[in-house]
Amino acid sequence: MLSALSSLRAAAASGNLTVTIKVDPGAGSEPPSSPQVVEDGGEEDEEELSGGEEADLRSSSGRGSLLTRRGITLRVLLKDGLVEPGDGVLAIHYLGKNFVGDLLTDGKIRWVETGQIFNSPSAWATHCKRLVNPAKKSGCGWASVRYRGQKLVQYKTTWLHKYQPSADMSLVSEEDDDEDEEEGKAAVQADDKNKNTKPGLHDVMVSRRTDRERIPVRYCTLGTRDAARDPHTLVELSAFSAINRFQPFNVAVSSNVLLLMDFHCHLTTSEVVGYLGGRWDTNTQLLTVLRAFPCRTRLADRDSASAVEEEICQNLFMRGLSLVGWYHSHPRGPALPSLQDIDSQMDHQLRLQGSNNGFQPCLGIICGPYYHGNQGVASTITPFWVVPPPEQRPNDYGIPVAVEVTYVQDNFLTSDVLNEMMLLVDYYRAAPDLVQFNQYWCPDTTMMDKIKGSLSCHAPKDQAYSQILEHVYSQLGSMN
């Protein structure tokens, strides 16, 4: 068991923080029978090419020639698999107002609220922004419209890097600078407004804007292993049904496991790792995760790793539990596995399976606490597993798949979980990467409010837990 723990931790130690956007495949959608089509995109609108013009441009230029900025349309991104059609996958956030749109199979956009059809991102952005600000002359569409949380202009950049790596990146969109400048002014105004009442807000907002986001790729685009590929590339999760398989086991996770894991991941801006203890029932094919064991050590600190892992082994043995998985955090990124995570998970699955070739699942969980694409203050927690590549393609990456999990609400917060939380507080008390809980996560929410809100999602049935945790929160507050 100790070798399995060492394997899990060694793989995590070689990891790195990846900041990306979470993208899940969406279902295609068709326009209504008689929609209103809006073509006006303002003075700076990028006119969409017709299907014939786009085909002519592609055939005349080919992959080896530069495709003009105007030629990289939503249809191009759809055709090459960088985005997928779906309901509600597009959004615009402008001056406090939110607009949601559907991406249609022909590359057009349907505004959910009215059913209007727009030929381009700029046309939709201009229309929406003029509703809020009639003086707005253009929409800066590719920099304003987000696909599943990520600016469309960055998908355009990815397309150029992939198909025209020698292209001048100024071809992407001149609109981006204008939009960033507008957003920057808004951020400065918000900072000035709250300067006297909300200390630390400027630092938080600057950090939020400068975090570098990466766009995940679909598994089907990976192909054979490539040593030149960035191992921190994030990969979208597939569903078991999408690869014509059934999930080979059921999983039940205790709410106390989620609470302790989420608490651990919130404490530091660095990546953390821990182990999962539970039981595997071969008769019912049920994997029950009953306890989280945070590693109170730095990922690169090999000197203390053995002692920490030995302690965890003893705790597992005393509780009659087996090692059933591991977790780690992507502090400011979404909870999606990287190529490195996929290889690590595949290795863990093989090691826990044992030498007798008996099947035992190893569950991987990724927690993304401080990713600003999360819904509200709750962390995104992603259980995943890896299916080996097809036998005829042994050099491919394993297939990361989402695991369906039943979350079981515990009756109360146990004393050992509370004790583990206090040990974590003591461990990170003087850490340079300790989260500053008196700073602001967003203009109206402190970091302390955020961790409280996220942990409340894993509350036990006994509501007295909130009073018990107040002591922990008071310790956190005194650390900054």
Side-chain angles (χ1 to χ4, degrees), residues 249-259 261 274-281 286-293 316 321-327 360-365 383 403-410:
F249 51 88
N250 297 314
V251 181
V253 179
S254 154
S255 62
N256 279 343
V257 169
L258 298 175
L259 187 142
M261 178 179 65
Y275 303 118
L276 303 174
R279 297 188 180 93
W280 167 239
D281 189 323
L286 174 64
L287 185 73
T288 307
V289 184
L290 299 170
R291 182 71 157 79
F293 296 92
L316 285 167
L321 302 177
S322 301
L323 179 65
V324 297
W326 67 305
Y327 71 86
Q360 177 186 335
C362 172
L363 183 68
I365 297 181
V403 173
E404 293 185 5
V405 171
T406 299
Y407 296 110
V408 180
Q409 187 179 27
D410 287 301

Side-chain angles (χ1 to χ4, degrees), residues 27 123 228 250 268 395 440:
N250 297 314
T268 172
N395 293 323
Y440 277 76

Side-chain angles (χ1 to χ4, degrees), residues 112-123:
V112 171
E113 186 171 339
T114 65
Q116 293 171 277
I117 304 297
F118 296 85
N119 285 333
S120 70
S122 295

Side-chain angles (χ1 to χ4, degrees), residues 139-271:
C140 303
W142 284 81
S144 300
V145 180
R146 295 175 181 266
Y147 173 79
R148 299 187 185 275
Q150 181 75 33
K151 288 183 179 180
L152 281 178
V153 69
Q154 294 189 266
Y155 289 89
K156 188 180 286 189
T157 302
T158 299
W159 189 97
L160 284 172
H161 279 307
K162 184 175 182 179
Y163 295 113
Q164 295 177 178
S166 61
D168 182 356
M169 286 301 105
S170 63
L171 290 174
V172 176
S173 177
E174 289 87 352
E175 298 172 342
D176 198 22
D177 293 337
D178 296 337
E179 186 69 13
D180 283 344
E181 180 180 354
E182 180 177 313
E183 292 181 357
K185 290 178 180 178
V188 170
Q189 290 172 357
D191 179 52
D192 291 340
K193 180 178 179 181
N194 296 283
K195 185 181 298 181
N196 296 328
T197 58
K198 297 182 178 180
L201 176 59
H202 174 72
D203 295 335
V204 175
M205 298 306 288
V206 169
S207 173
R208 176 177 177 176
R209 283 175 52 77
T210 56
D211 282 337
R212 190 167 183 80
E213 296 180 346
R214 295 185 185 181
I215 302 173
V217 300
R218 294 191 300 166
Y219 176 82
C220 62
T221 66
L222 292 176
T224 305
R225 289 179 178 275
D226 182 358
R229 189 184 291 274
D230 183 358
H232 307 304
T233 299
L234 286 132
V235 183
E236 298 174 15
L237 293 180
S238 301
F240 276 99
S241 59
I243 57 175
N244 297 317
R245 297 210 184 187
F246 293 100
Q247 183 172 310
F249 51 88
N250 297 314
V251 181
V253 179
S254 154
S255 62
N256 279 343
V257 169
L258 298 175
L259 187 142
L260 181 55
M261 178 179 65
D262 199 10
F263 179 77
H264 184 200
C265 295
H266 266 92
L267 294 182
T268 172
T269 58
S270 298
E271 188 168 315

Side-chain angles (χ1 to χ4, degrees), residues 397-440:
Y397 294 95
I399 308 170
V401 289
V403 173
E404 293 185 5
V405 171
T406 299
Y407 296 110
V408 180
Q409 187 179 27
D410 287 301
N411 291 323
F412 52 86
L413 187 65
T414 59
S415 58
D416 61 336
V417 171
L418 182 61
N419 180 62
E420 189 66 50
M421 294 174 77
M422 292 306 301
L423 291 174
L424 287 169
V425 169
D426 289 339
Y427 178 78
Y428 289 105
R429 185 178 300 277
D433 51 358
L434 173 70
V435 169
Q436 301 298 303
F437 290 99
N438 60 345
Q439 290 190 348
Y440 277 76

Side-chain angles (χ1 to χ4, degrees), residues 301-322:
D301 186 359
R302 297 183 180 275
D303 293 337
S304 62
S306 297
V308 170
E309 290 168 353
E310 181 62 36
E311 179 184 354
I312 291 175
C313 281
Q314 293 176 2
N315 284 330
L316 285 167
F317 178 76
M318 287 189 299
R319 290 172 172 79
L321 302 177
S322 301

Side-chain angles (χ1 to χ4, degrees), residues 7-79:
S7 170
L8 292 176
R9 189 179 185 283
S14 61
N16 199 2
L17 172 62
T18 48
V19 181
T20 61
I21 196 75
K22 182 173 183 178
V23 183
D24 295 322
S29 56
E30 295 296 334
S33 56
S34 57
Q36 175 186 355
V37 180
V38 180
E39 298 182 352
D40 180 20
E43 295 178 2
E44 298 180 18
D45 181 26
E46 293 179 23
E47 179 186 355
E48 291 284 305
L49 300 176
S50 68
E53 290 175 323
E54 188 174 293
D56 292 342
L57 185 148
R58 278 183 173 274
S59 61
S60 62
S61 64
R63 295 289 194 206
S65 302
L66 289 181
L67 189 60
T68 66
R69 176 171 66 90
R70 177 172 171 264
I72 305 173
T73 65
L74 280 176
R75 276 194 297 273
V76 171
L77 299 184
L78 283 165
K79 181 176 181 180

